[in-house]
Amino acid sequence: MAKNRYESYKGDVLNYMTGLDLSSNELTGDIPSEIGLLPGLHALNLSHNHFSGSIPRGFSNLKMIESMDLSYNELSGRIPLELSELNYLAIFNVSYNDFLGPVPNSGQFANFDENNYRGNPLLCGPPVLKNCRSDLPPPLPTTPAEEDESAIDKVAFNWSFAASYVAVILGLMAILLLNSYWRRQWFLLVDACIDSSCFYFLYKLAFYQRRLGQS
């Protein structure tokens, strides 16, 4: 079946179709899974369209397929590992899509390299020369200079805290020294605290003595 032609096929004739080229047709939506029911297909070209979704797993039924071009679409998800069962696949191109995850690396896929997967930054595995376990570099070890810097920061914090505490105390003393009203209020507050503490202590002492006398 060639592009730029409007024809319909049905029945057994589909079993004898050897090539399907629908490239550069502005096609959208999911790739029809029924394509996987064409057992005699040798070449499939769906490139330069706007197909989305994932590659149908039924494509693993295309046992005679030799060329599959799905490049320049908007496909996503993982490349089905079942495609490694296609023993005659010699040309495979899924460049410039949004695939992710590990790339099949067995069967005919062992012959493909990063040129077959360009424009898919989330793919990983030996063919694309990217480790699937982690893309993050290991944390850098702490150097002695950084450790010394951290210790200096702690010392500086302790000194600044002590200086702030002393400044508050001195400020309070200066206010009490210069302002007679606040000085009187301060001594009254201290006396009230002392009296309340003494009263509470005497009350608890009398309470326990009463309890001991009753026992």
Side-chain angles (χ1 to χ4, degrees):
M1 180 182 291
K3 56 186 176 180
N4 299 323
R5 292 171 57 181
Y6 298 89
E7 299 179 0
S8 62
Y9 299 86
K10 63 180 180 179
D12 292 338
V13 68
L14 295 176
N15 296 328
Y16 301 101
M17 184 183 294
T18 59
L20 178 61
D21 185 355
L22 299 176
S23 61
S24 303
N25 275 294
E26 301 293 328
L27 299 175
T28 61
D30 295 341
I31 295 176
S33 59
E34 289 80 5
I35 294 177
L37 302 177
L38 302 174
L41 209 60
H42 287 254
L44 174 63
N45 189 352
L46 303 178
S47 65
H48 295 274
N49 284 291
H50 298 286
F51 284 117
S52 57
S54 58
I55 299 176
R57 294 187 180 276
F59 277 17
S60 62
N61 297 323
L62 302 174
K63 301 302 182 182
M64 304 301 294
I65 195 78
E66 300 174 14
S67 173
M68 184 184 298
D69 190 349
L70 306 177
S71 61
Y72 291 93
N73 277 286
E74 299 167 14
L75 300 171
S76 59
R78 296 175 179 265
I79 298 174
L81 298 178
E82 292 86 349
L83 297 184
S84 59
E85 301 171 5
L86 303 176
N87 297 323
Y88 296 102
L89 188 63
I91 299 174
F92 181 73
N93 192 354
V94 292
S95 301
Y96 300 102
N97 282 284
D98 294 310
F99 291 112
L100 55 81
V103 173
N105 195 34
S106 59
Q108 291 296 99
F109 281 82
N111 301 319
F112 304 141
D113 57 24
E114 66 271 19
N115 294 317
N116 302 86
Y117 307 101
R118 291 182 182 278
N120 293 279
L122 298 181
L123 285 176
C124 62
V128 295
L129 307 177
K130 184 183 293 185
N131 195 333
C132 285
R133 287 176 294 181
S134 176
D135 293 332
L136 298 176
L140 296 175
T142 304
T143 62
E146 290 175 341
E147 292 179 355
D148 293 342
E149 222 176 279
S150 176
I152 292 173
D153 289 341
K154 291 181 180 178
V155 172
F157 172 77
N158 292 334
W159 275 109
S160 62
F161 180 80
S164 300
Y165 180 78
V166 171
V168 171
I169 296 299
L170 291 177
L172 181 61
M173 292 178 64
I175 292 173
L176 296 178
L177 182 64
L178 299 176
N179 193 311
S180 59
Y181 172 78
W182 283 110
R183 186 165 59 251
R184 287 195 302 273
Q185 295 298 322
W186 171 258
F187 288 125
L188 290 174
L189 177 62
V190 171
D191 290 340
C193 291
I194 294 174
D195 292 342
S196 61
S197 299
C198 292
F199 176 78
Y200 178 77
F201 175 75
L202 294 174
Y203 171 78
K204 296 298 288 185
L205 180 62
F207 174 78
Y208 284 117
Q209 287 179 346
R210 192 182 306 112
R211 290 287 300 272
L212 291 173
Q214 291 175 355
S215 61

